[in-house]
Amino acid sequence: MLKPKLLLLLILSAALVHLPGSAEAHSVPKDRAYYESRGDIVWEVPTQDKFIALTFDDGPDAKLTPKILELLEKYDAKATFFVVGERIKRYPELIKKELAAGHEIGNHSFRHPAFETLSYNTIKSEMDQTQEIIYQTTGHKAVLFRPPGGVYNENIIKLAKQNNMQLILWSWHQDTKDWASPGVNKIVRKVLDNARNGDIVLMHDFVYHGSQTPEALKVILPELKKRGFSFVTVSELLTHKASPKQHIQVNH
């Protein structure tokens, strides 16, 4: 038979384990399926249509953005540019040029900080400042938001909703890592070998030490067009989302 003191200790231990605020009660994180099913975050769009959304982060940039815009025009491709607020202040004409060409502008924060280290109010300021400068420059407000580094949590999701923005990430199989200059062929193969209906491809139109993205696009754009794909903005892609009952075909 257990001694009274030992019995009391076991009872107290069991009670602590099941307290509502205990670590165990909050140890299971919400996964992609949870946020995706609620529509809180979009990684890609299930669709039967051969549409792909090319996205470019961190710009605009005086050298790289015009090169990308020229290539997109050549192949009748529309894209989404997730822009950084402080760079819009430096190159306002480029963001106007993007919109005039039929591309889409998304909010990508003001200074591109690491969101996981920031307070709620600081994240809000990053979003709000960028929304304001986009509006001042173009007369339009962004309806899409992509957090720097793809970081997300409940605060970021809540703030995006408050700003009437959809939180957009990218297809896990379409992270080109072009910011790291892995080689033109690696960027090309990443996109072409994994191309599926409804993909959201991650690229950049600002890279600190030069970029291999334009050279890669010279191969990617004509090849995917040859395969029958159309290049659309993220918002356009979202309008082609298939219902759960529809069969989704994967094209390679």
Side-chain angles (χ1 to χ4, degrees), residues 46-50 196-198 246-252:
T47 180
Q48 293 180 319
D49 301 313
K50 297 192 73 171
R196 307 172 188 171
N197 295 357
Q246 288 179 290
H247 176 66
I248 308 303
Q249 293 182 341
V250 176
N251 291 278
H252 296 286

Side-chain angles (χ1 to χ4, degrees), residues 4 6 28 51 71 75 78 98 114 116 119-121 124 129-130 152 161 164 187 210 218 221 228 230 235 243:
L6 180 57
V28 181
F51 291 133
L71 286 165
Y75 293 101
K78 303 305 178 189
E98 289 168 358
E116 63 267 32
S119 68
Y120 178 93
N121 287 336
K124 183 177 186 303
Q129 286 185 81
T130 305
Y152 60 89
K161 288 180 178 180
N164 297 311
I187 297 171
K218 290 177 183 179
L221 288 166
S230 295
S235 286
S243 67

Side-chain angles (χ1 to χ4, degrees), residues 98-221:
E98 289 168 358
L99 283 173
H103 304 298
E104 183 172 31
I105 302 300
N107 185 321
H108 194 45
S109 80
F110 193 77
R111 296 183 179 84
H112 202 278
F115 265 32
E116 63 267 32
T117 68
L118 303 183
S119 68
Y120 178 93
N121 287 336
T122 304
I123 293 172
K124 183 177 186 303
S125 176
E126 284 283 327
M127 289 186 184
D128 290 349
Q129 286 185 81
T130 305
Q131 283 293 76
E132 182 61 27
I133 194 168
I134 290 173
Y135 182 74
Q136 289 176 356
T137 306
T138 68
H140 300 277
K141 286 193 175 182
V143 297
L144 306 177
F145 176 72
R146 175 176 282 168
V151 172
Y152 60 89
N153 56 38
E154 295 294 335
N155 281 339
I156 296 170
I157 293 169
K158 179 180 178 181
L159 285 166
K161 288 180 178 180
Q162 287 177 355
N163 273 292
N164 297 311
M165 291 187 291
Q166 172 67 60
L167 203 157
I168 303 293
L169 294 183
W170 54 84
S171 303
W172 285 347
H173 55 278
Q174 290 289 14
D175 182 355
T176 65
K177 300 188 186 300
D178 59 340
W179 56 270
S181 297
V184 172
N185 189 57
K186 282 192 175 182
I187 297 171
V188 169
R189 298 271 41 104
K190 185 68 173 179
V191 178
L192 296 184
D193 292 349
N194 298 290
R196 307 172 188 171
N197 295 357
D199 278 353
I200 298 176
V201 181
L202 175 61
M203 293 181 166
H204 295 78
D205 67 322
F206 173 64
V207 179
Y208 281 107
H209 303 294
S211 174
Q212 299 164 336
T213 306
E215 291 304 311
L217 285 171
K218 290 177 183 179
V219 181
I220 292 167
L221 288 166

Side-chain angles (χ1 to χ4, degrees), residues 52-56 66-79 81 103 184 187-189 191-192 195 201 203 213-232:
I52 283 182
L54 300 178
T55 66
F56 299 91
K67 291 180 181 179
I68 290 173
L69 287 173
E70 184 178 340
L71 286 165
L72 293 174
E73 182 180 10
K74 180 178 180 180
Y75 293 101
D76 191 27
K78 303 305 178 189
F81 291 84
H103 304 298
V184 172
I187 297 171
V188 169
R189 298 271 41 104
V191 178
L192 296 184
V201 181
M203 293 181 166
T213 306
E215 291 304 311
L217 285 171
K218 290 177 183 179
V219 181
I220 292 167
L221 288 166
E223 176 57 29
L224 287 183
K225 193 167 184 179
K226 181 181 176 182
R227 297 183 193 181
F229 283 100
S230 295
F231 306 99
V232 298

Side-chain angles (χ1 to χ4, degrees), residues 9 17 31 39 63 86 118 127 144 167:
L9 181 61
V17 167
D31 60 9
K63 292 183 178 180
E86 65 177 5
L118 303 183
M127 289 186 184
L144 306 177
L167 203 157

